[in-house]
Amino acid sequence: MKHAPSADPPPILLTASKITKTFDKTRALAGADFELREGEIHGLLGANGAGKSTLSKVISGHYSADSGSIRYRGRDIQLRNTRDALRVGIAIVMQETSLVPDLSVLENIFLPELGRPGRLDYRALKERGRAILDSLGQGDSLPFDWEVRRLSSAQKQLVEIAKALGVDAKLIIFDEPTASLSPGEVDRLFDVMARLRETGHGLVFVSHRLEEVFSITDRVTVMREG
């Protein structure tokens, strides 16, 4: 699905400028620049070790950059951890999910709310969860009462996406999301991503599968040696 051309490009959602990151003596990022617009799926390409995942983890708060700046929704931000990123509306969906296997689907979607004081209104959470899944065209895909350990890889990924939307994330990074999916599951994921794009979300698609990148992305950035 391609957008019709318009006179004005969508607003810039995030700009990362001159990002550097070193692990011991290995320089993973050497002045990396990246820009993402609202309502865009932006492909991040590069060979293994090029810095794709490191840049993604800096943007999502998993790593702190050694230097450089990140501007998000019109203001400079400093992310100390993933909580900071989620608080401003940045989430990442990785191959290894951050879900709690012994908790239910519903509890995982709204995991950030479980630690808050007071009683949880499970009926209200179910309504919110259903609305999120309906917005993704996946209304009947997840049984809310199942423990996450019973889910397939594709279903766990969907829980991660719903969890991101549960905290109103505007920017979602997909780090090699198709690695463990069947062709049919990839098609469903791309449909979900297209729906997110249509609602103004900015998506980063990290992959090395060129045919997938060219089928779903609007723009591509290629990384080499950080």
Side-chain angles (χ1 to χ4, degrees):
M1 185 184 300
K2 295 293 182 182
H3 290 294
S6 61
D8 298 316
I12 294 173
L13 184 61
L14 175 135
T15 304
S17 303
K18 300 188 174 7
I19 303 295
T20 66
K21 182 65 181 177
T22 300
F23 299 99
D24 296 324
K25 295 181 180 179
T26 301
R27 189 160 226 199
L29 296 174
D33 296 321
F34 182 75
E35 177 190 271
L36 177 68
R37 293 184 178 273
E38 294 181 14
E40 172 185 51
I41 302 177
H42 195 135
L44 197 55
L45 280 171
N48 287 337
K52 305 184 303 295
S53 288
T54 302
L55 180 59
S56 298
K57 289 179 179 178
V58 167
I59 293 172
S60 60
H62 284 76
Y63 299 149
S64 295
D66 297 332
S67 64
S69 62
I70 298 177
R71 191 168 181 82
Y72 178 68
R73 304 186 86 170
R75 64 186 183 93
D76 294 328
I77 59 171
Q78 289 188 326
L79 304 176
R80 296 162 299 176
N81 50 47
T82 55
R83 282 196 189 91
D84 284 352
L86 288 172
R87 197 173 294 120
V88 299
I90 300 173
I92 186 169
V93 177
M94 298 187 290
Q95 290 182 52
E96 296 298 325
T97 65
S98 60
L99 304 176
V100 181
D102 293 331
L103 293 182
S104 70
V105 167
L106 187 69
E107 289 166 333
N108 269 279
I109 290 175
F110 297 106
L111 198 58
E113 299 191 22
L114 296 189
R116 293 179 183 171
R119 293 184 60 186
L120 286 174
D121 185 342
Y122 276 89
R123 179 177 294 178
L125 291 183
K126 278 189 177 181
E127 289 177 1
R128 284 175 59 196
R130 187 65 59 205
I132 289 171
L133 293 181
D134 286 345
S135 74
L136 299 174
Q138 302 291 319
D140 298 319
S141 298
L142 290 175
F144 285 145
D145 56 341
W146 276 22
E147 290 183 351
V148 158
R149 66 170 69 254
R150 299 175 60 186
L151 302 182
S152 67
S153 295
Q155 287 174 314
K156 289 176 182 176
Q157 200 171 72
L158 185 57
V159 175
E160 285 279 18
I161 298 168
K163 181 179 164 188
L165 296 180
V167 294
D168 296 321
K170 181 76 171 175
L171 189 164
I172 304 176
I173 301 168
F174 291 83
D175 189 4
E176 302 280 0
T178 64
S180 59
L181 303 185
S182 68
E185 290 168 339
V186 170
D187 288 342
R188 283 194 290 275
L189 173 63
F190 284 1
D191 179 68
V192 166
M193 291 173 68
R195 288 170 183 266
L196 289 168
R197 172 174 56 191
E198 293 304 318
T199 53
H201 290 81
L203 309 182
V204 182
F205 180 55
V206 183
S207 181
H208 61 274
R209 297 180 177 179
L210 291 179
E211 69 282 359
E212 292 180 355
V213 170
F214 292 137
S215 72
I216 190 64
T217 61
D218 303 294
R219 260 198 306 172
V220 172
T221 291
V222 179
M223 297 192 68
R224 182 171 178 266
E225 296 180 358

